[in-house]
Amino acid sequence: MVVNSAQAVADRYADFAWQQARGESDAHEELTARISQDPDFCDFLAVSLPHGNQQQPNLLLAAVRYLDGPHAEQGPRGDFAYRSWREWTIRHWDDVRDVMMRRLARTDEPARCATLLPVLARLPQPLALLEVGAAAGLCLHPDRYRYRYDGGPEFGDPDSPVVLPCRTSPGTPVPAAPPRIVWRAGLGLDPLDLSDPDDIRWLRALAWPGPGNDTTLGTGAGTGTGDAWSGSTGSSAGTGSGGDTGSGSRTGNSGHTGNRGASVADRARRQLAAIEAVRNAPPTPLVRGDLLHELPALAAQAPPEATLVVFHTGALTHLPLERREEFVRVVRSLLVDRPGHWVSQEHHSVLPWLPGPRPADARLLTLAVDGRPAALTEQHGRSVQWLAEPEPV
């Protein structure tokens, strides 16, 4: 049943423009700000979509881009362009709504591997990785990328087309090599198949448009993207926000606006290169199902001699609190009788019972091991701020 109001929709788009798109994508910032000030269109959205996850602004923006709507690449800029975008969206609403009802706004940010690596590399090896909330499984392959911390030497897979730069704070245990992974699997409500051109098209539609971001939607991942990415990225360690965590509690600006075009373009090229790297790897099982019901059976498939790591990055935001609490109980029960750890990388409001102070920058994610905060991380993988040493793992 539709229980939305036009004002609630307007508030959601205004929050998205200010809290998430600002400092990251000029196009998405302007578009969602204009939507928030368009009461007729907000009323149209309120009565046309169910309350909840289908009202996510990023889902609407991606659906129009997926369908090659006007200004799909750089976004509508200016009043005339916005009205053109609005008219096209309403005229093609049946198709747009169909995409929004069958797809999820769950992006895959491979650069988060750079913020996970200081934790993963310290765990007893080898590892069995199980990602909860997986989209295309790009974060399940930290051993297929190269890394560069603080401008230091690169390490990782020498043949990888992907280089992940990351800045760290003093005391961060920067690893010397990726972890050794002997098993990996993902679980999600709508996992994407990298051999399916339509799934790749959707994944690329979720990438935010910005200056220099050539994310022309095609049927394949393309070629040659590794060379484009493997040079200097120009990314800084700012604390920009993204569109897939969905927390309404973030405040303030990212301090990253001067380089927003470069960072958005870098992320698009990085995603293409990661898709190519993972598509050429042995297939990884991505299971479609509920995280509570399917998780125990999938975890049971992990080899017993490996350290099981159940991890998630920005995946629990849209679950009700009681479901998040039940999820934590399920994960802890899985690790009672076997070697393993629970690694979470979420906005602090998602797991509010975690100990420790709240980050001064509310856009940062909290990286925790077994419920103990270890670091604050920029959600696009650009920086790690290591906290006081957590209890031994």
Side-chain angles (χ1 to χ4, degrees):
M1 181 176 66
V2 175
V3 293
N4 300 315
S5 71
Q7 187 58 54
V9 172
D11 291 344
R12 190 163 190 172
Y13 277 81
D15 180 78
F16 184 93
W18 178 257
Q19 305 283 3
Q20 300 187 48
R22 187 169 186 245
E24 290 294 325
S25 171
D26 287 338
H28 273 6
E29 179 185 357
E30 179 178 334
L31 176 53
T32 50
R34 287 184 179 276
I35 291 174
S36 73
Q37 298 167 21
D38 185 340
D40 290 340
F41 190 63
C42 287
D43 183 65
F44 173 79
L45 294 175
V47 300
S48 301
L49 292 167
H51 176 73
N53 291 342
Q54 270 68 41
Q55 284 285 0
Q56 293 178 70
N58 201 31
L59 188 58
L60 171 62
L61 307 183
V64 173
R65 298 186 72 220
Y66 171 83
L67 295 169
D68 287 328
H71 316 287
E73 292 317 307
Q74 296 304 321
R77 311 302 302 276
D79 184 65
F80 177 81
Y82 169 68
R83 292 184 182 279
S84 173
W85 180 92
R86 180 186 191 274
E87 186 275 333
W88 187 96
T89 300
I90 293 175
R91 180 157 45 89
H92 295 85
W93 182 247
D94 287 347
D95 292 333
V96 173
R97 189 182 189 277
D98 176 69
V99 172
M100 296 179 70
M101 294 301 295
R102 63 185 174 85
R103 291 291 191 176
L104 297 178
R106 176 76 178 121
T107 59
D108 222 338
E109 178 53 87
R112 287 180 180 169
C113 289
T115 55
L116 289 169
L117 212 65
V119 164
L120 296 180
R122 304 179 77 208
L123 299 178
Q125 308 289 309
L127 304 182
L129 295 186
L130 200 169
E131 182 183 10
V132 174
L138 299 183
C139 288
L140 279 165
H141 297 265
D143 52 340
R144 305 197 192 284
Y145 308 137
R146 289 181 286 154
Y147 300 86
R148 184 173 61 245
Y149 289 92
D150 304 307
E154 292 178 5
F155 66 89
D157 183 351
D159 298 322
S160 176
V162 184
V163 177
L164 303 178
C166 183
R167 284 191 173 179
T168 68
S169 67
T172 302
V174 176
R180 186 160 64 93
I181 302 167
V182 295
W183 181 89
R184 64 193 99 207
L187 173 62
L189 291 175
D190 186 30
L192 303 178
D193 181 357
L194 293 181
S195 67
D196 184 339
D198 194 57
D199 278 357
I200 292 181
R201 182 181 179 84
W202 174 247
L203 189 62
R204 296 177 65 185
L206 288 165
W208 290 14
N213 182 4
D214 181 12
T215 56
T216 303
L217 301 181
T219 58
T223 58
T225 57
D227 291 339
W229 170 245
S230 61
S232 175
T233 65
S235 294
S236 73
T239 54
S241 77
D244 59 351
T245 62
S247 172
S249 61
R250 272 168 278 168
T251 58
N253 193 7
S254 66
H256 210 66
T257 57
N259 198 32
R260 73 178 71 179
S263 62
V264 170
D266 287 343
R267 293 204 307 273
R269 289 193 294 268
R270 177 175 62 220
Q271 184 189 71
L272 287 173
I275 288 172
E276 200 66 27
V278 172
R279 284 205 309 182
N280 292 328
T284 296
L286 298 178
V287 176
R288 183 185 306 272
D290 180 83
L291 60 87
L292 294 180
H293 298 152
E294 306 297 333
L295 182 58
L298 186 57
Q301 299 177 27
E305 68 277 8
T307 299
L308 175 63
V309 181
V310 179
F311 77 99
H312 48 93
T313 66
L316 304 185
T317 302
H318 301 294
L319 288 180
L321 179 60
E322 60 272 16
R323 293 267 292 170
R324 284 176 257 153
E325 292 173 335
E326 178 62 22
F327 167 75
V328 173
R329 287 193 288 269
V330 170
V331 173
R332 291 190 186 279
S333 70
L334 296 176
L335 303 176
V336 169
D337 297 322
R338 65 158 300 150
H341 297 280
W342 164 43
V343 176
S344 61
Q345 191 169 213
E346 301 279 355
H347 188 263
H348 70 79
S349 64
V350 174
L351 303 172
W353 57 84
L354 293 185
R358 297 292 181 256
D361 185 336
R363 296 186 177 205
L364 297 178
L365 304 181
T366 297
L367 175 63
V369 182
D370 299 324
R372 297 184 293 270
L376 302 178
T377 66
E378 195 277 329
Q379 66 175 346
H380 296 301
R382 292 184 289 227
S383 68
V384 177
Q385 300 177 27
W386 199 254
L387 302 176
E389 192 69 16
E391 296 177 26
V393 295

